[in-house]
Amino acid sequence: MPPPRKPPCDGDVSEVKADQLYQIVQPGAGGGKALALWNCTSDLQFKVQLEFQAPDLELLDATEEGQDKYSISLYPGDCKFLVRGTWKATRKKMSFGPPDKAWQEQQEAKVKAVLAEEQ
């Protein structure tokens, strides 16, 4: 199923969670590729852990958790590149729910600043 709107970066797009989370893979040099995740919701935070089979990776936005495992947190609207390199397969574990309080407060402060500027 295609995403609800155009992803913020180019590549092969596949659905991870229906109309909410998408994976984007960009081909790279020497048979490598870059892997991004896109949270296209307006009200959910995803925490994703990926386990790669036979990886040779460069970390981008992901955090290494240990033996071939990496994690990332995606707030509403986020599109982040996790890793670049080569791998044979991935396994994903995820949880999701409302964004954490710090993110909500940051967004509220941004809205208040825009409103104050317009007044």
Side-chain angles (χ1 to χ4, degrees), residues 8-98:
C9 55
D10 293 328
D12 295 326
V13 179
S14 59
E15 192 173 67
V16 176
K17 179 141 179 64
D19 295 331
Q20 296 177 344
L21 185 66
Y22 291 84
Q23 172 178 292
I24 302 167
V25 177
Q26 289 182 338
K33 48 196 167 191
L35 175 65
L37 290 175
W38 173 39
N39 175 355
C40 65
T41 70
S42 61
D43 60 351
L44 293 175
Q45 175 182 357
F46 283 86
K47 294 179 182 178
V48 183
Q49 181 187 66
L50 291 111
E51 186 174 351
F52 292 89
Q53 182 182 21
D56 180 14
L57 303 173
E58 169 191 353
L59 284 177
L60 300 174
D61 287 326
T63 302
E64 189 167 10
E65 286 195 343
Q67 188 67 27
D68 303 330
K69 291 184 182 177
Y70 304 86
S71 63
I72 193 162
S73 185
L74 297 153
Y75 292 101
D78 275 355
C79 183
K80 294 182 179 177
F81 278 91
L82 288 74
V83 295
R84 178 182 302 129
T86 59
W87 61 89
K88 288 185 179 180
T90 61
R91 184 180 346 193
K92 296 173 193 71
K93 292 180 186 176
M94 70 177 148
S95 62
F96 58 94

